[in-house]
Amino acid sequence: MADGRARLLQRRGLETRQIGDRPAEGWGLLYMSWADRETGQYDSGLERGQQALAIARKLKVDFLSWYAWHSLARLYLLLNRSQDSLAAASESHHISQSKIFHPSMHARTLATLARAHLEMAHAEDSHPYTSEALSELQSLRVRSMPEMQAAYFDCYLSLQQAGSTAARDALKQAHMAMMAQAGAIADAESRARFLREVVMNREIAAIWES
């Protein structure tokens, strides 16, 4: 499923370059970066994410810039490059504070900052971001949206490290968000692959079932 989507996105990316649609090219590169991340092709995903960011910054498109920085922060975490993740998350945080975006974007930024600080053993810096991220997440009216499970899981890890009794509830929310997204996928095989192949989902399931 992810490989087929990546091939389709590559064709569309070529088309946008040919007609000179730079914003669409930037989004296409970012979508391909996400597909690479889902299939474990982190280096390729990183290169495309950086290309998308370069286009966003040149065109001064804040929405695309936020997504590119945030995506790079998540990729750097997977590559065990926590310092780079913190820098990228800080950039996305700055953008989300200065612009009017959907509240979920700010929550996801805060959770990623918490995770990056945690990976760098900066627990004292991680916890305030965790508390703010949880407050933002709990204020949302929907229980399922892209990366909601990742945001809750980042909060879970920070709370678990602190020995907080709230950790289990954050894990429960991560699992519920993941299953809600899976439930929206009509095709059984695609749903199974979503749960099996996306790295974050595997992590959540493994800890939830342990």
Side-chain angles (χ1 to χ4, degrees):
M1 178 178 67
D3 290 339
R5 183 168 63 233
R7 287 192 293 272
L8 175 61
L9 289 169
Q10 286 174 344
R11 289 197 297 271
R12 290 181 176 174
L14 178 60
E15 292 169 358
T16 58
R17 284 195 297 274
Q18 289 173 337
I19 65 174
D21 188 341
R22 295 289 281 166
E25 182 184 352
W27 283 108
L29 285 164
L30 189 58
Y31 295 151
M32 284 190 285
S33 175
W34 294 341
D36 288 335
R37 185 177 66 185
E38 287 184 11
T39 55
Q41 300 177 70
Y42 301 146
D43 290 335
S44 177
L46 185 61
E47 180 180 359
R48 285 171 169 152
Q50 290 169 336
Q51 291 171 346
L53 176 62
I55 291 173
R57 298 182 77 179
K58 183 175 182 179
L59 299 179
K60 298 181 180 180
V61 181
D62 290 322
F63 197 55
L64 177 57
S65 292
W66 181 89
Y67 267 105
W69 278 122
H70 179 70
S71 182
L72 288 170
R74 304 303 307 182
L75 270 166
Y76 284 133
L77 284 173
L78 292 168
L79 289 165
N80 297 314
R81 293 170 57 176
S82 53
Q83 182 67 56
D84 289 328
S85 177
L86 179 59
S90 296
E91 291 287 351
S92 65
H93 184 233
H94 174 72
I95 295 171
S96 71
Q97 285 186 310
S98 62
K99 302 295 178 181
I100 300 176
F101 290 152
H102 192 280
S104 68
M105 296 169 68
H106 189 50
R108 288 151 64 187
T109 298
L110 292 166
T112 303
L113 277 169
R115 176 74 176 272
H117 277 295
L118 186 65
E119 294 298 325
M120 295 178 66
H122 298 164
E124 69 282 1
D125 295 316
S126 176
H127 299 326
Y129 286 119
T130 299
S131 297
E132 193 175 351
L134 281 173
S135 177
E136 292 282 345
L137 286 166
Q138 290 163 0
S139 70
L140 298 175
R141 295 182 180 182
V142 296
R143 294 294 92 191
S144 175
M145 62 178 57
E147 291 192 344
M148 179 175 276
Q149 72 269 45
Y152 270 115
F153 189 66
D154 290 342
C155 292
Y156 158 74
L157 292 173
S158 179
L159 292 167
Q160 182 193 47
Q161 192 279 338
S164 172
T165 56
R168 185 65 184 179
D169 184 63
L171 178 61
K172 179 181 178 181
Q173 294 298 325
H175 186 263
M176 287 173 61
M178 178 185 75
M179 295 308 297
Q181 289 181 42
I185 302 173
D187 178 68
E189 178 57 26
S190 296
R191 184 166 58 251
R193 292 182 66 178
F194 170 76
L195 293 170
R196 181 177 67 244
E197 295 182 5
V198 177
V199 175
M200 176 61 62
N201 294 342
R202 290 204 307 269
E203 285 187 273
I204 293 171
I207 295 178
W208 179 255
E209 295 167 5
S210 64

